[in-house]
Amino acid sequence: MLEKIETIKLEALLNLEAIDSARDLESWRVQHLGKKSPLTQILRGLAGLSIEERKAAGAAANELKRLLEESSARKGQAIRAKEMAAEAGKESIDISLPGRPYPAGRLHPITQTIEEICDIFVSLGFQVVEGPDVEWDYYNFEALNIPAEHPARDSMSSYWVDTPAGDRGKQMLRTHGTAISARVVEKMRPPIRTIEPARVYRYEATDATHLNIYHNIDGLAVDRGITMADLKGVLFEFVRRYFGENRKIRFRTDFFPFVEPGGEIAIDCGVCHGSGCRVCKDSGWLEILGCGMTHPEVLRRGGIDPEEYTSFAFGMGLERLPMLRYGIEDIRHFYNNDLRFLRQF
Amino acid sequence: MKVPLSWLKDYVDVTLPAAELARRITLAGFEVAEIITTGGSWENIIVGRITAVNPHPNADRLRLATVDLGQRQETVVCGAPNLNVGDKIAFAHSGAQLVNPYNGQMEELKPAKIRGVVSRGMICSEKELGISESHEGILVLKPEVEIGRPLVEYLGDSVLDIDVTANRPDCLSVVGIAHETAALCGRKMHIPEIACEESGEPLEGRITIEISAPDLCPRYCASLITGVTITDSPAWLQERLVACGQRPINNIVDITNYVMLEYGQPLHSFDYDRLKGHKIMVRRAAGGEKFYTLDEVERELTGDMLVIGDGERTVAIAGVMGGLNSEVTGSTTNILLEAASFKATSIHYTSRRLGLTSEASTRFERGISAGLTIPALRHATQLIAELGGGKIARGIIDVYPGKKDPALIPLTAAKVRRVLGVGFSQEQIVDTLESLGFDCRGDGAGIKVTAPYWRSDINQDVDIIEEVARINGYDKIPMTLLAEPVPPQRTEPIIGLKRKIRRGLAGHGFQEIMSYTLTGLDMLSNLAAPARPPEPLPARVVNPMTADQEYLRCSLRAGLLTTLANNRRYEEGGIRLFELGRIYLPTGESLPAEPEVLCGIMSGPRAERSWLGGDGTFDFHDAKGAIESLLGQLDVNVTFEKSLDAGLHPARQAAVVVQGGERRETIGIIGEVHPAVAAAFEVTGTVGLFEINLMALLPFAAGEKTYRAVPRFPGSYRDIALVVDAGVTHRQILDIISSYPLITGAELFDVYSGKPVAPGKKSLAYRLVYQSTTHTLTDAEVNNVQEQLLERMARELGAILRS
Ligand SMILES: [Zn+2]
């Protein structure tokens, strides 16, 4: 009996090997597992055997039945997979056709730049602070060590607003974001770390690199123990994050009435890599921000004791940053609002 | 400030290449914008001596010059009139780069056969060398130059064009830059001794000087030189002026300019004999006074301007420009030379009011140290006597009402470290400061520092600390990241709201734009139909540059409509735009209010153009949908009410109203742009618009989220179609539905009028969701509620269930 079972097994599995269609598999099932199949016959005939024979043959026959069922199931899966693959080859879609459109808007590149820079400074513990576009002369100039008839006013030609002067001077359109810092030292108490995006106005003709209305982003830190090393560390970190690790950075002395010592940070020219070109005016360097240790007088005017606290401040023209990063040749693109420009960012 | 290295070397030994010196000066605070090199192209040009001049065999005007070049001789054809045997000249070999005097281009010199004589080389004019425009004859060199040496060794020079910062007028001078150079290169200064020999009659009694405005003129010094001859300056002086970008005039004017460039102290020369009463009065001008300045322009002066007068009239505008009535002329013989100190703000005011700037005014308005007057005056006086052949009257006059003791500023190494974050020893600090000419004296734990007499920018310890930092270099400063704890962050909620809204709208397919905040009244007027200026008038700038940037915008609509029209020229598809920015509303005395406003517009085909199709154009309902969705994301529930906005289609607009607790506020408006307004902006087609005042929205958008449990029991869905009068609104139906707590949702899925619905009626179809939080509703329960609902609809709205 066991021999017979073994013969059935060999034959059935050999036949199964050769099958490659669902129909053939079905007839194989009928032939080897159906009611009239030899295996079923054996299972049915078990009752007529002796107890010992029944035990051995029964186990073997049931084992074979399970094996054949599993094998046929596996075969069935393989055949279905093969058939679907064949099917897919017949039913083809043009995957290069455009997908069903979903409207996608974008943020203005200046918004993106403001947010990116603010995010960098927020991660360093700075808080975003804004201030008014229409500003008192006091916050724009006086509080920042730029009294009337100071030559620094000449380099920041101003728009004046047609309203009566108050005890903080005339109303004007702020010429730099530093006006917000002047408000911050008056309103907030140390420890202070602020980052200050601002729209600014200069009474100046516009050209490819100058606008009369553009943006600044300023920053301020006031606390005990702040040094110029902190200024350098924070700003170099910012430059590396915004422009990448590999840019060379130059930190030189410069003058602004509201800082002392004052400095300027430049990066190596991305166009000529330092050898000199039109973009960097042959210097190999691109100036990106002014900075320094906040002048004690500025702190004092805000009611902060410069003997107790030290402070640094910085400011930069905002449009210049994406211009340098992406090689945008004309600053006016930002405000022409041509969708063909805006949709690139 | 243009600084020739050849001049700088008079005061300090510079051995560094010009580029390296420029780098150091730039890092120390004075950006060298350009290095102008003379002689950079002078390869193959050497010194020669003319040994013979012979006529050209075939040409009358040309001659043959034989030139000794040291190693050998060369004979060349030359047309210049000033060929003299024995003169040393600049000889260019073939291959040299020279300026072609006829077209100004650089060209390579090639051997040539001129009228049958071969010429290998050339004797050069100044123009050919690029030194000046002179081409009348060849350049004759000084006799002491060595034959055979490269010309560049004698005439080559580098001029640094330096941007001097506003705080350092002392560096608008060669000596000032020399002090910097000495400190930056570790060299000693050597300023030549001024030999101002006062050999004439005493000055006393020959001039009276009075300062009646000591607040504006702290110091006035003068010298008198008699018997002067006005003539051209010598070549060396002219060359230096030209190198610094100035035009030589005559010896007296040139000397005052020269010494100003040397020390940074402006000087003024008067014709002594034209000063009435031999008097100098430093006073305020008479209001309305007319005065001719040296540039022959008549100026009207005001009573707050400082002038120099003589016994009768004004002779100069102090620190800005002299007058025609006392200027030095060709017949002048006696010169009164002025070196004064004027208040910076006064000079700036006068210069600005008169629209007149000069080399003198740009220096004075930055605040020159009064200490520079005497050295500059003495050197100029000496030069006038030397070069003009005059005698110096004895006793220079020095009226100094503003004299102050030099400040002693205490400083410690600890203080330096406190600011810079890097430790310098007291010795290092003192060395640095002394190299700049500061005086340092030990004082217990620290030092007391006095600034040198030429510095006007040193007032407190941080000014000195900057000197230590910049001379040692900012690269000596280490980098640290703020060690102190992070301050508490209390960011204004509006900043977060702006971010959410911008992202929300971009996600809805809106492109953000940014327009100018200054605009024209026309633009703002065109926003109403019919066009009229906004009321009240927006804030105006006093000094607009153009009429289209005269007013601060009081609406974002104009910028958006303009952008739409501009982009329509090449974009056929749907355009969705928004701007989020400030508008400016006058408040009278105080600063204008600057609310943040969101405005969006949508125009053109609703669906993106696609091969899959899509239909319809943007209208009122799109604007409404956008705002509902956006505010939904912010969990702000709004209702829409009838509104009256002159810029929107009168029948297609609605106010956006929020109800939050007790507060009820209109926060914006939606609608379609009035066709007349659209036409004024050259926009065609329907434009959906929404506008939200973020300041009004903010209190409602900042709330906490309220959590409700997700339903545990399934809902039952029932569709009903109601036929109502055309005037009945969706809102009225919804108000009734929402009064039944078991109905948790009502979705309007069809609005229909026309057959078979009776005229004057419309059909609204809703899918209602019945759901309980406690159990699964039975059909009987649902039917019961729906019966009550329909009965009430019929009673209150005359609604009939459409079968
Ligand atoms: Zn470059």
Side-chain angles (χ1 to χ4, degrees):
Chain A
M1 183 59 72
L2 289 178
E3 273 170 41
K4 197 173 173 190
I5 292 172
E6 190 58 29
T7 311
I8 293 169
K9 175 179 167 186
L10 282 174
E11 193 193 330
L13 289 179
L14 271 172
N15 285 338
L16 188 64
E17 289 277 289
I19 283 168
D20 64 353
S21 76
R23 217 181 54 195
D24 289 353
L25 183 62
E26 191 47 39
S27 41
W28 179 90
R29 279 187 65 87
V30 172
Q31 189 186 343
H32 296 283
L33 288 165
K35 284 182 190 137
K36 291 176 183 163
S37 66
L39 183 58
T40 312
Q41 302 292 337
I42 289 171
L43 285 165
R44 281 203 189 127
L46 286 178
L49 299 178
S50 68
I51 291 181
E52 265 169 36
E53 257 188 326
R54 187 165 50 189
K55 227 180 175 179
N62 278 314
E63 171 62 29
L64 177 58
K65 188 176 180 188
R66 198 165 53 244
L67 176 70
L68 293 185
E69 271 166 356
E70 272 175 22
S71 301
S72 85
R74 248 200 308 277
K75 189 74 181 181
Q77 281 170 10
I79 288 169
R80 269 194 301 283
K82 218 166 131 189
E83 280 175 352
M84 261 171 76
E87 201 69 17
K90 271 181 266 165
E91 182 222 303
S92 81
I93 56 165
D94 179 357
I95 56 163
S96 71
L97 283 175
R100 186 166 275 118
Y102 274 72
R106 289 162 185 267
L107 301 185
H108 192 280
I110 294 306
T111 298
Q112 293 185 37
T113 308
I114 290 174
E115 292 189 354
E116 183 176 355
I117 293 171
C118 286
D119 287 348
I120 292 173
F121 282 98
V122 166
S123 78
L124 296 169
F126 287 71
Q127 171 182 332
V128 182
V129 173
E130 296 177 341
D133 289 22
V134 183
E135 187 54 283
W136 298 111
D137 179 300
Y138 176 80
Y139 293 109
N140 197 79
F141 287 136
E142 292 279 341
L144 296 170
N145 279 349
I146 312 171
E149 304 300 342
H150 191 288
R153 289 194 177 211
D154 297 348
S155 60
M156 290 195 279
S157 319
S158 315
Y159 283 105
W160 299 92
V161 177
D162 191 10
T163 40
D167 59 352
R168 308 232 118 172
K170 291 201 274 184
Q171 290 188 17
M172 61 181 299
L173 302 180
R174 66 178 162 207
T175 57
H176 54 172
T178 321
I180 301 178
S181 297
R183 285 176 171 270
V184 165
V185 293
E186 190 180 273
K187 196 172 144 205
M188 295 171 72
R189 294 298 94 185
I192 298 171
R193 288 181 208 174
T194 54
I195 182 80
E196 306 151 355
R199 184 182 257 115
V200 299
Y201 303 78
R202 298 279 174 96
Y203 185 76
E204 271 168 23
T206 62
D207 60 31
T209 51
H210 300 88
L211 280 178
N212 61 337
I213 307 176
Y214 59 104
H215 288 81
N216 271 183
I217 199 154
D218 276 64
L220 178 77
V222 189
D223 204 347
R224 290 190 186 87
I226 285 182
T227 70
M228 205 153 163
D230 293 318
L231 164 78
K232 189 173 172 183
V234 166
L235 293 179
F236 275 46
E237 173 69 10
F238 158 71
V239 171
R240 287 200 202 96
R241 284 209 218 166
Y242 187 83
F243 286 103
E245 294 285 338
N246 300 323
R247 297 303 280 264
K248 285 200 206 98
I249 306 175
R250 183 183 76 179
F251 185 24
R252 58 175 283 267
T253 311
D254 203 350
F255 169 74
F256 305 97
F258 37 88
V259 288
E260 188 78 25
E264 174 217 82
I265 286 179
I267 54 170
D268 59 332
C269 176
V271 177
C272 65
H273 301 287
S275 59
C277 69
R278 196 180 50 83
V279 174
C280 59
K281 295 191 188 111
D282 284 329
S283 70
W285 295 101
L286 301 165
E287 293 148 20
I288 51 172
L289 62 85
C291 57
M293 299 302 288
T294 313
H295 198 286
E297 202 50 47
V298 173
L299 294 179
R300 216 171 274 133
R301 275 203 199 91
I304 294 172
D305 181 5
E307 295 302 320
E308 185 175 359
Y309 295 100
T310 46
S311 165
F312 69 72
F314 57 90
M316 57 194 122
L318 196 95
E319 281 75 0
R320 193 167 159 75
L321 302 180
M323 284 177 84
L324 295 178
R325 201 198 222 178
Y326 303 117
I328 298 165
E329 78 292 356
D330 193 326
I331 193 172
R332 290 168 292 202
H333 284 315
F334 289 115
Y335 302 99
N336 287 340
N337 290 317
D338 188 320
L339 292 173
R340 294 168 297 186
F341 174 81
L342 296 179
R343 283 172 179 161
Q344 296 180 42
F345 298 96
Chain B
M1 175 71 201
K2 288 203 170 99
V3 177
L5 279 192
S6 57
W7 191 353
L8 192 66
K9 285 174 180 168
D10 282 2
Y11 314 116
V12 60
D13 295 321
V14 189
T15 46
L16 293 176
E20 172 58 17
L21 179 63
R23 193 186 70 84
R24 291 194 190 179
I25 291 176
T26 298
L27 288 175
F30 306 100
E31 186 164 22
V32 178
E34 199 184 357
I35 304 171
I36 306 147
T37 315
T38 319
S41 59
W42 289 349
E43 255 178 80
N44 297 316
I45 303 177
I46 59 172
V47 174
R49 190 174 66 95
I50 301 174
T51 53
V53 179
N54 293 304
H56 190 290
N58 308 320
D60 290 348
R61 291 173 174 276
L62 300 180
R63 288 187 286 175
L64 301 180
T66 306
V67 182
D68 175 10
L69 299 168
Q71 304 287 357
R72 60 203 170 90
Q73 297 223 332
E74 199 72 69
T75 299
V76 294
V77 179
C78 190
N82 60 336
L83 288 176
N84 296 313
V85 173
D87 276 358
K88 300 217 173 133
I89 48 83
F91 183 86
H93 284 295
S94 301
Q97 294 288 331
L98 293 176
V99 176
N100 179 333
Y102 303 103
N103 64 11
Q105 304 288 312
M106 287 292 266
E107 287 173 8
E108 190 183 316
L109 180 64
K110 298 200 172 97
K113 200 175 194 179
I114 300 163
R115 295 278 183 107
V117 179
V118 174
S119 190
R120 283 188 196 80
M122 191 160 114
I123 303 173
C124 305
S125 70
E126 289 189 24
K127 184 155 188 181
E128 284 157 343
L129 291 168
I131 299 173
S132 80
E133 285 300 300
S134 168
H135 190 56
E136 275 75 67
I138 56 162
L139 167 67
V140 178
L141 303 171
K142 287 180 189 155
E144 61 265 27
V145 301
E146 202 179 316
I147 295 168
R149 303 296 303 167
L151 180 69
V152 70
E153 287 182 14
Y154 298 107
L155 290 187
D157 198 1
S158 292
V159 179
L160 305 186
D161 189 358
I162 303 175
D163 291 341
V164 175
T165 53
N167 59 329
R168 293 295 304 274
D170 62 299
C171 280
L172 286 170
S173 74
V174 181
V175 169
I177 295 296
H179 283 299
E180 293 288 312
T181 306
L184 290 168
C185 302
R187 299 283 166 153
K188 285 260 175 292
M189 286 286 287
H190 41 77
I191 294 187
E193 194 69 23
I194 299 169
C196 179
E197 200 189 324
E198 300 174 3
S199 58
E201 300 291 308
L203 177 50
E204 208 184 320
R206 292 157 77 183
I207 190 87
T208 324
I209 293 177
E210 254 181 65
I211 302 178
S212 72
D215 54 330
L216 304 184
C217 176
R219 191 174 196 181
Y220 197 99
C221 310
S223 67
L224 179 65
I225 309 103
T226 54
V228 173
T229 310
I230 310 299
T231 172
D232 282 347
S233 307
W236 66 266
L237 203 163
Q238 294 201 15
E239 280 161 17
R240 283 192 167 175
L241 289 181
V242 169
C244 291
Q246 295 220 354
R247 199 164 46 89
I249 294 167
N250 62 41
N251 54 354
I252 304 305
V253 176
D254 291 356
I255 287 166
T256 55
N257 283 334
Y258 177 82
V259 173
M260 176 183 70
L261 293 171
E262 184 182 33
Y263 282 98
Q265 167 71 46
L267 300 159
H268 185 66
S269 53
F270 294 102
D271 183 332
Y272 169 75
D273 299 306
R274 296 172 78 186
L275 293 175
K276 309 273 183 188
H278 294 158
K279 244 180 138 177
I280 288 285
M281 305 274 292
V282 186
R283 55 169 171 81
R284 286 181 166 81
E289 181 182 344
K290 300 267 187 7
F291 177 69
Y292 275 97
T293 41
L294 281 175
D295 53 4
E296 299 179 19
V297 176
E298 189 181 53
R299 314 268 174 185
E300 187 174 332
L301 308 178
T302 57
D304 42 14
M305 293 175 178
L306 187 70
V307 296
I308 312 298
D310 62 9
E312 295 173 7
R313 63 215 168 127
T314 295
V315 291
I317 302 174
V320 180
M321 196 173 273
L324 278 180
N325 58 10
S326 58
E327 94 174 299
V328 171
T329 65
S331 56
T332 300
T333 54
N334 300 320
I335 290 181
L336 185 84
L337 196 58
E338 162 205 292
S341 172
F342 302 117
K343 192 178 181 186
T345 52
S346 168
I347 302 301
H348 184 263
Y349 171 82
T350 305
S351 154
R352 192 169 55 83
R353 282 292 297 271
L354 296 176
L356 177 63
T357 55
S358 61
E359 290 278 339
S361 72
T362 49
R363 286 174 170 80
F364 279 124
E365 69 186 21
R366 296 178 188 207
I368 304 170
S369 167
L372 280 168
T373 45
I374 291 292
L377 184 66
R378 293 187 67 229
H379 195 209
T381 304
Q382 175 203 350
L383 285 172
I384 290 176
E386 269 174 30
L387 306 177
K391 277 206 151 97
I392 302 167
R394 258 183 292 139
I396 280 177
I397 293 181
D398 182 0
V399 187
Y400 199 172
K403 188 166 180 154
K404 276 182 283 192
D405 288 334
L408 286 170
I409 302 170
L411 189 71
T412 61
K415 195 107 199 210
V416 175
R417 178 198 284 274
R418 174 179 183 262
V419 173
L420 299 183
V422 56
F424 288 102
S425 69
Q426 183 165 313
E427 201 184 345
Q428 284 173 305
I429 293 167
V430 169
D431 281 353
T432 304
L433 293 174
E434 286 181 346
S435 75
L436 284 165
F438 284 73
D439 182 62
C440 304
R441 277 176 219 166
D443 172 48
I447 48 172
K448 282 221 157 48
V449 183
T450 312
Y453 69 83
W454 56 87
R455 294 288 294 265
S456 55
D457 62 312
I458 304 295
N459 301 307
Q460 44 195 313
D461 54 14
V462 284
D463 299 328
I464 303 170
I465 293 168
E466 178 179 81
E467 299 302 297
V468 175
R470 70 185 186 87
I471 296 300
N472 288 287
Y474 280 8
D475 50 355
K476 296 278 191 327
I477 296 172
M479 281 188 268
T480 53
L481 282 175
L482 296 158
E484 301 302 313
V486 172
Q489 299 261 334
R490 298 288 179 272
T491 309
E492 294 287 337
I494 185 71
I495 289 165
L497 180 64
K498 287 196 290 183
R499 277 202 179 204
K500 275 190 204 165
I501 287 181
R502 284 196 168 106
R503 274 176 180 59
L505 281 170
H508 282 82
F510 285 81
Q511 169 66 50
E512 185 186 18
I513 67 153
M514 243 183 229
S515 20
Y516 293 120
T517 41
L518 286 174
T519 186
L521 196 57
D522 283 1
M523 293 286 261
L524 296 170
S525 302
N526 281 341
L527 289 174
R532 59 175 176 273
E535 270 181 57
L537 271 183
R540 194 180 76 89
V541 294
V542 184
N543 53 336
M545 212 170 291
T546 53
D548 63 356
Q549 289 198 335
E550 186 177 356
Y551 287 88
L552 280 158
R553 67 182 178 194
C554 57
S555 168
L556 302 182
R557 293 181 193 180
L560 283 158
L561 289 170
T562 305
T563 301
L564 174 61
N566 288 342
N567 282 284
R568 219 8 123 205
R569 292 190 194 120
Y570 55 83
E571 174 63 72
E572 295 181 329
I575 296 182
R576 299 175 179 84
L577 304 173
F578 80 95
E579 177 159 10
L580 197 171
R582 294 179 181 178
I583 60 169
Y584 307 85
L585 307 172
T587 57
E589 301 278 292
S590 189
L591 294 176
E594 299 186 13
E596 299 274 3
V597 171
L598 164 70
C599 187
I601 57 172
M602 42 217 306
S603 173
R606 178 176 297 125
E608 307 269 309
R609 271 165 69 86
S610 164
W611 60 281
L612 290 160
D615 61 340
T617 55
F618 286 121
D619 61 13
F620 172 88
H621 303 291
D622 294 285
K624 186 175 177 193
I627 241 21
E628 283 175 327
S629 174
L630 179 73
L631 296 178
Q633 285 183 334
L634 299 170
D635 300 305
V636 177
N637 290 314
V638 289
T639 54
F640 296 86
E641 295 178 1
K642 283 216 181 309
S643 62
L644 206 63
D645 182 303
L648 299 179
H649 190 299
R652 296 175 158 263
Q653 57 170 292
V656 183
V657 179
V658 200
Q659 179 96 43
E662 293 297 293
R663 302 181 62 172
R664 186 184 145 79
E665 197 164 347
T666 301
I667 61 164
I669 196 156
I670 56 168
E672 287 174 14
V673 173
H674 196 292
V677 171
F681 285 89
E682 293 170 21
V683 169
T684 50
T686 307
V687 181
L689 177 145
F690 55 83
E691 197 172 67
I692 300 288
N693 183 335
L694 299 198
M695 302 327 219
L697 168 65
L698 187 63
F700 302 99
E704 285 291 300
K705 307 260 180 204
T706 46
Y707 166 75
R708 281 183 306 274
V710 175
R712 288 171 60 203
F713 301 99
S716 296
Y717 296 85
R718 296 288 166 89
D719 290 350
I720 56 168
L722 300 169
V723 176
V724 290
D725 284 344
V728 173
T729 65
H730 164 66
R731 179 86 242 162
Q732 289 172 290
I733 294 171
L734 219 53
D735 283 346
I736 294 177
I737 294 173
S738 59
S739 66
Y740 294 87
L742 281 185
I743 307 180
T744 57
E747 180 202 336
L748 175 69
F749 66 84
D750 189 40
V751 179
Y752 179 76
S753 54
K755 279 183 180 169
V757 177
K761 303 265 181 187
K762 66 181 174 186
S763 158
L764 300 168
Y766 293 88
R767 165 156 291 195
L768 304 179
V769 187
Y770 292 84
Q771 201 161 28
S772 160
T773 55
T774 57
H775 63 288
T776 304
L777 293 175
T778 62
D779 273 357
E781 284 175 295
V782 171
N783 290 341
N784 182 30
V785 175
Q786 183 149 321
E787 269 167 38
Q788 291 176 37
L789 171 73
L790 291 174
E791 192 267 327
R792 205 175 139 197
M793 289 276 187
R795 195 173 64 236
E796 293 183 17
L797 301 176
I800 300 159
L801 188 67
R802 189 177 166 207
S803 46

